[in-house]
């Protein structure tokens, strides 16, 4: 049979709270399962502290405090080990979204990143990908009437771009494993790094495209003119394409 996970362990947290049929992963049910898990951990810790003899120590404030500390540690360990799949795991990491302010204040920056859009993630990444989107949607809902709402709109758009989408110019379709790894990286604080990498790739691809277009125009001028002024203009265009 399946090995029984120790109560309060990361594996126990995942099996009790995170694992289950999709229909059972609604916010209300997840919150309820999380609360039940905390109670089960507290009961197990208190029972061990009392030596199974039913003494008053099982219900003492100190036993409850120790149980809560242990359960919080297990929850954070589960988050780090598996990546945040649900919003209830996010307290395991302190993360600032302030770096998204320029993207929120200047939406044209988002439009400049031309990506090939994939509408659905691969099956193996689906659960964690939709957990990532739910995380962003929850933040947006909670801040919809505040100046920070734009931060979470930018989070939603950029997290899709860097996980399952890829740049139209200079990019390539990601493997299924890479998509899953990128989702986990986003949910452990790596979105800023992934966005910076995509911006650099887009800049390099745009520069390469300008060079190709300039070279094509120069070749066309040479073909048409053959010599003289046309050849001089072609040479000038090549020099301009390589200028810093």
């Amino acid at each position: 049979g399946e090995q029984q996970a120790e109560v309060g362990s990361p594996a126990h947290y995942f099996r009790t709270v995170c694992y289950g049929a999709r229909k059972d992963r609604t916010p209300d049910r997840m919150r309820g399962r999380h609360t039940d898990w905390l109670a089960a951990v507290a009961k197990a810790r208190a029972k061990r502290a009392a030596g199974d003899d039913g003494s008053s120590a099982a219900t003492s404030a100190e036993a409850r405090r120790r149980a809560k500390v242990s359960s919080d540690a297990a929850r954070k360990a589960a988050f780090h080990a598996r990546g945040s799949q649900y919003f209830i795991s996010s307290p395991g990491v302190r993360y600032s979204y302030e770096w998204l302010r320029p993207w929120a204040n200047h939406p044209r920056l988002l439009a400049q990143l031309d990506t090939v859009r994939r509408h659905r993630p691969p099956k193996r990444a689906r659960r964690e990908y939709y957990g990532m989107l739910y995380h962003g949607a929850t933040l947006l809902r909670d801040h919809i009437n505040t100046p920070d709402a734009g931060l979470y709109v930018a989070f939603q758009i950029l997290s899709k771009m860097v996980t399952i989408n890829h740049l139209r110019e200079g990019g390539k379709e990601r493997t299924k494993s890479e998509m899953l790894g990128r989702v986990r990286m986003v949910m452990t604080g790596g979105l800023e790094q992934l966005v910076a990498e995509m911006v650099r790739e887009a800049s390099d691809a745009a520069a390469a495209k300008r060079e190709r277009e300039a070279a094509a125009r120069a070749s066309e001028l040479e073909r048409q003119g053959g010599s003289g002024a046309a050849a001089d203009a072609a040479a000038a265009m090549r020099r301009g394409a390589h200028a810093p």
Side-chain angles (χ1 to χ4, degrees), residues 11-27:
H12 178 256
Y13 177 80
F14 179 75
R15 292 180 184 177
T16 306
V17 181
C18 300
Y19 189 76
R22 181 178 299 178
K23 66 180 181 180
D24 294 329
R25 299 199 298 272
T26 63

PDB file of all heavy atoms in Angstrom, residues 11-27:
ATOM      1  N   ALA A  11       4.828  16.395   2.712  1.00  0.00           N
ATOM      2  CA  ALA A  11       4.073  15.427   1.918  1.00  0.00           C
ATOM      3  C   ALA A  11       2.628  15.310   2.429  1.00  0.00           C
ATOM      4  O   ALA A  11       1.671  15.228   1.642  1.00  0.00           O
ATOM      5  CB  ALA A  11       4.747  14.064   1.972  1.00  0.00           C
ATOM      6  N   HIS A  12       2.466  15.330   3.749  1.00  0.00           N
ATOM      7  CA  HIS A  12       1.136  15.258   4.331  1.00  0.00           C
ATOM      8  C   HIS A  12       0.315  16.490   3.953  1.00  0.00           C
ATOM      9  O   HIS A  12      -0.877  16.411   3.639  1.00  0.00           O
ATOM     10  CB  HIS A  12       1.244  15.143   5.863  1.00  0.00           C
ATOM     11  CG  HIS A  12      -0.085  15.112   6.554  1.00  0.00           C
ATOM     12  ND1 HIS A  12      -0.593  16.202   7.234  1.00  0.00           N
ATOM     13  CD2 HIS A  12      -1.010  14.119   6.670  1.00  0.00           C
ATOM     14  CE1 HIS A  12      -1.766  15.884   7.745  1.00  0.00           C
ATOM     15  NE2 HIS A  12      -2.050  14.640   7.411  1.00  0.00           N
ATOM     16  N   TYR A  13       0.955  17.665   3.950  1.00  0.00           N
ATOM     17  CA  TYR A  13       0.270  18.901   3.559  1.00  0.00           C
ATOM     18  C   TYR A  13      -0.203  18.810   2.111  1.00  0.00           C
ATOM     19  O   TYR A  13      -1.343  19.133   1.781  1.00  0.00           O
ATOM     20  CB  TYR A  13       1.209  20.096   3.727  1.00  0.00           C
ATOM     21  CG  TYR A  13       0.603  21.398   3.282  1.00  0.00           C
ATOM     22  CD1 TYR A  13      -0.267  22.082   4.108  1.00  0.00           C
ATOM     23  CD2 TYR A  13       0.881  21.937   2.028  1.00  0.00           C
ATOM     24  CE1 TYR A  13      -0.849  23.270   3.711  1.00  0.00           C
ATOM     25  CE2 TYR A  13       0.305  23.117   1.613  1.00  0.00           C
ATOM     26  CZ  TYR A  13      -0.543  23.790   2.467  1.00  0.00           C
ATOM     27  OH  TYR A  13      -1.124  24.968   2.059  1.00  0.00           O
ATOM     28  N   PHE A  14       0.679  18.348   1.236  1.00  0.00           N
ATOM     29  CA  PHE A  14       0.333  18.272  -0.182  1.00  0.00           C
ATOM     30  C   PHE A  14      -0.826  17.300  -0.409  1.00  0.00           C
ATOM     31  O   PHE A  14      -1.785  17.604  -1.109  1.00  0.00           O
ATOM     32  CB  PHE A  14       1.556  17.837  -0.992  1.00  0.00           C
ATOM     33  CG  PHE A  14       1.280  17.717  -2.461  1.00  0.00           C
ATOM     34  CD1 PHE A  14       1.159  18.836  -3.260  1.00  0.00           C
ATOM     35  CD2 PHE A  14       1.118  16.463  -3.039  1.00  0.00           C
ATOM     36  CE1 PHE A  14       0.883  18.721  -4.615  1.00  0.00           C
ATOM     37  CE2 PHE A  14       0.849  16.347  -4.396  1.00  0.00           C
ATOM     38  CZ  PHE A  14       0.742  17.479  -5.181  1.00  0.00           C
ATOM     39  N   ARG A  15      -0.743  16.104   0.221  1.00  0.00           N
ATOM     40  CA  ARG A  15      -1.785  15.101  -0.010  1.00  0.00           C
ATOM     41  C   ARG A  15      -3.125  15.515   0.596  1.00  0.00           C
ATOM     42  O   ARG A  15      -4.186  15.236   0.059  1.00  0.00           O
ATOM     43  CB  ARG A  15      -1.352  13.765   0.588  1.00  0.00           C
ATOM     44  CG  ARG A  15      -0.172  13.128  -0.136  1.00  0.00           C
ATOM     45  CD  ARG A  15       0.209  11.802   0.502  1.00  0.00           C
ATOM     46  NE  ARG A  15       1.401  11.231  -0.125  1.00  0.00           N
ATOM     47  CZ  ARG A  15       1.978  10.114   0.259  1.00  0.00           C
ATOM     48  NH1 ARG A  15       1.450   9.433   1.282  1.00  0.00           N
ATOM     49  NH2 ARG A  15       3.057   9.659  -0.353  1.00  0.00           N
ATOM     50  N   THR A  16      -3.062  16.181   1.736  1.00  0.00           N
ATOM     51  CA  THR A  16      -4.294  16.544   2.440  1.00  0.00           C
ATOM     52  C   THR A  16      -4.961  17.777   1.855  1.00  0.00           C
ATOM     53  O   THR A  16      -6.182  17.834   1.728  1.00  0.00           O
ATOM     54  CB  THR A  16      -3.994  16.800   3.932  1.00  0.00           C
ATOM     55  OG1 THR A  16      -3.337  15.665   4.475  1.00  0.00           O
ATOM     56  CG2 THR A  16      -5.269  17.083   4.708  1.00  0.00           C
ATOM     57  N   VAL A  17      -4.155  18.762   1.470  1.00  0.00           N
ATOM     58  CA  VAL A  17      -4.709  20.057   1.061  1.00  0.00           C
ATOM     59  C   VAL A  17      -4.671  20.267  -0.448  1.00  0.00           C
ATOM     60  O   VAL A  17      -5.664  20.645  -1.060  1.00  0.00           O
ATOM     61  CB  VAL A  17      -3.965  21.215   1.767  1.00  0.00           C
ATOM     62  CG1 VAL A  17      -4.568  22.559   1.363  1.00  0.00           C
ATOM     63  CG2 VAL A  17      -4.033  21.048   3.277  1.00  0.00           C
ATOM     64  N   CYS A  18      -3.529  20.016  -1.069  1.00  0.00           N
ATOM     65  CA  CYS A  18      -3.342  20.392  -2.472  1.00  0.00           C
ATOM     66  C   CYS A  18      -3.838  19.353  -3.463  1.00  0.00           C
ATOM     67  O   CYS A  18      -4.234  19.697  -4.573  1.00  0.00           O
ATOM     68  CB  CYS A  18      -1.856  20.667  -2.750  1.00  0.00           C
ATOM     69  SG  CYS A  18      -1.182  22.013  -1.754  1.00  0.00           S
ATOM     70  N   TYR A  19      -3.772  18.078  -3.073  1.00  0.00           N
ATOM     71  CA  TYR A  19      -4.076  17.004  -4.025  1.00  0.00           C
ATOM     72  C   TYR A  19      -5.571  16.728  -4.049  1.00  0.00           C
ATOM     73  O   TYR A  19      -6.244  16.799  -3.032  1.00  0.00           O
ATOM     74  CB  TYR A  19      -3.304  15.744  -3.648  1.00  0.00           C
ATOM     75  CG  TYR A  19      -3.385  14.658  -4.689  1.00  0.00           C
ATOM     76  CD1 TYR A  19      -2.639  14.742  -5.858  1.00  0.00           C
ATOM     77  CD2 TYR A  19      -4.215  13.571  -4.511  1.00  0.00           C
ATOM     78  CE1 TYR A  19      -2.718  13.757  -6.826  1.00  0.00           C
ATOM     79  CE2 TYR A  19      -4.305  12.577  -5.463  1.00  0.00           C
ATOM     80  CZ  TYR A  19      -3.548  12.675  -6.613  1.00  0.00           C
ATOM     81  OH  TYR A  19      -3.632  11.703  -7.567  1.00  0.00           O
ATOM     82  N   GLY A  20      -6.072  16.417  -5.223  1.00  0.00           N
ATOM     83  CA  GLY A  20      -7.479  16.059  -5.311  1.00  0.00           C
ATOM     84  C   GLY A  20      -8.041  16.384  -6.671  1.00  0.00           C
ATOM     85  O   GLY A  20      -7.376  16.957  -7.533  1.00  0.00           O
ATOM     86  N   ALA A  21      -9.301  16.026  -6.873  1.00  0.00           N
ATOM     87  CA  ALA A  21      -9.967  16.284  -8.145  1.00  0.00           C
ATOM     88  C   ALA A  21     -10.119  17.783  -8.381  1.00  0.00           C
ATOM     89  O   ALA A  21     -10.220  18.564  -7.436  1.00  0.00           O
ATOM     90  CB  ALA A  21     -11.343  15.609  -8.157  1.00  0.00           C
ATOM     91  N   ARG A  22     -10.140  18.167  -9.644  1.00  0.00           N
ATOM     92  CA  ARG A  22     -10.237  19.594  -9.967  1.00  0.00           C
ATOM     93  C   ARG A  22     -11.487  20.235  -9.360  1.00  0.00           C
ATOM     94  O   ARG A  22     -11.452  21.375  -8.893  1.00  0.00           O
ATOM     95  CB  ARG A  22     -10.250  19.761 -11.487  1.00  0.00           C
ATOM     96  CG  ARG A  22     -10.334  21.221 -11.926  1.00  0.00           C
ATOM     97  CD  ARG A  22     -10.289  21.340 -13.436  1.00  0.00           C
ATOM     98  NE  ARG A  22      -9.052  20.808 -13.962  1.00  0.00           N
ATOM     99  CZ  ARG A  22      -8.760  20.756 -15.260  1.00  0.00           C
ATOM    100  NH1 ARG A  22      -9.644  21.214 -16.131  1.00  0.00           N
ATOM    101  NH2 ARG A  22      -7.620  20.256 -15.666  1.00  0.00           N
ATOM    102  N   LYS A  23     -12.605  19.504  -9.348  1.00  0.00           N
ATOM    103  CA  LYS A  23     -13.855  20.069  -8.825  1.00  0.00           C
ATOM    104  C   LYS A  23     -13.757  20.391  -7.340  1.00  0.00           C
ATOM    105  O   LYS A  23     -14.551  21.180  -6.813  1.00  0.00           O
ATOM    106  CB  LYS A  23     -15.007  19.098  -9.075  1.00  0.00           C
ATOM    107  CG  LYS A  23     -14.880  17.785  -8.295  1.00  0.00           C
ATOM    108  CD  LYS A  23     -16.050  16.857  -8.588  1.00  0.00           C
ATOM    109  CE  LYS A  23     -15.917  15.558  -7.787  1.00  0.00           C
ATOM    110  NZ  LYS A  23     -17.037  14.638  -8.050  1.00  0.00           N
ATOM    111  N   ASP A  24     -12.786  19.764  -6.637  1.00  0.00           N
ATOM    112  CA  ASP A  24     -12.629  20.000  -5.200  1.00  0.00           C
ATOM    113  C   ASP A  24     -11.657  21.141  -4.904  1.00  0.00           C
ATOM    114  O   ASP A  24     -11.448  21.474  -3.739  1.00  0.00           O
ATOM    115  CB  ASP A  24     -12.122  18.729  -4.499  1.00  0.00           C
ATOM    116  CG  ASP A  24     -13.151  17.609  -4.551  1.00  0.00           C
ATOM    117  OD1 ASP A  24     -14.350  17.928  -4.552  1.00  0.00           O
ATOM    118  OD2 ASP A  24     -12.744  16.437  -4.584  1.00  0.00           O
ATOM    119  N   ARG A  25     -11.063  21.750  -5.946  1.00  0.00           N
ATOM    120  CA  ARG A  25     -10.051  22.772  -5.707  1.00  0.00           C
ATOM    121  C   ARG A  25     -10.623  24.179  -5.848  1.00  0.00           C
ATOM    122  O   ARG A  25      -9.991  25.075  -6.407  1.00  0.00           O
ATOM    123  CB  ARG A  25      -8.853  22.572  -6.638  1.00  0.00           C
ATOM    124  CG  ARG A  25      -8.159  21.253  -6.445  1.00  0.00           C
ATOM    125  CD  ARG A  25      -6.756  21.266  -7.018  1.00  0.00           C
ATOM    126  NE  ARG A  25      -6.726  21.483  -8.450  1.00  0.00           N
ATOM    127  CZ  ARG A  25      -6.809  20.527  -9.363  1.00  0.00           C
ATOM    128  NH1 ARG A  25      -6.955  19.273  -8.982  1.00  0.00           N
ATOM    129  NH2 ARG A  25      -6.756  20.798 -10.656  1.00  0.00           N
ATOM    130  N   THR A  26     -11.841  24.381  -5.332  1.00  0.00           N
ATOM    131  CA  THR A  26     -12.412  25.723  -5.297  1.00  0.00           C
ATOM    132  C   THR A  26     -11.813  26.475  -4.105  1.00  0.00           C
ATOM    133  O   THR A  26     -11.340  25.850  -3.141  1.00  0.00           O
ATOM    134  CB  THR A  26     -13.938  25.662  -5.140  1.00  0.00           C
ATOM    135  OG1 THR A  26     -14.247  25.052  -3.869  1.00  0.00           O
ATOM    136  CG2 THR A  26     -14.572  24.842  -6.257  1.00  0.00           C
ATOM    137  N   PRO A  27     -11.823  27.818  -4.134  1.00  0.00           N
ATOM    138  CA  PRO A  27     -11.242  28.574  -3.008  1.00  0.00           C
ATOM    139  C   PRO A  27     -11.824  28.196  -1.657  1.00  0.00           C
ATOM    140  O   PRO A  27     -11.083  28.015  -0.689  1.00  0.00           O
ATOM    141  CB  PRO A  27     -11.560  30.023  -3.381  1.00  0.00           C
ATOM    142  CG  PRO A  27     -11.643  30.019  -4.868  1.00  0.00           C
ATOM    143  CD  PRO A  27     -12.250  28.692  -5.237  1.00  0.00           C
TER     144      PRO A  27
END
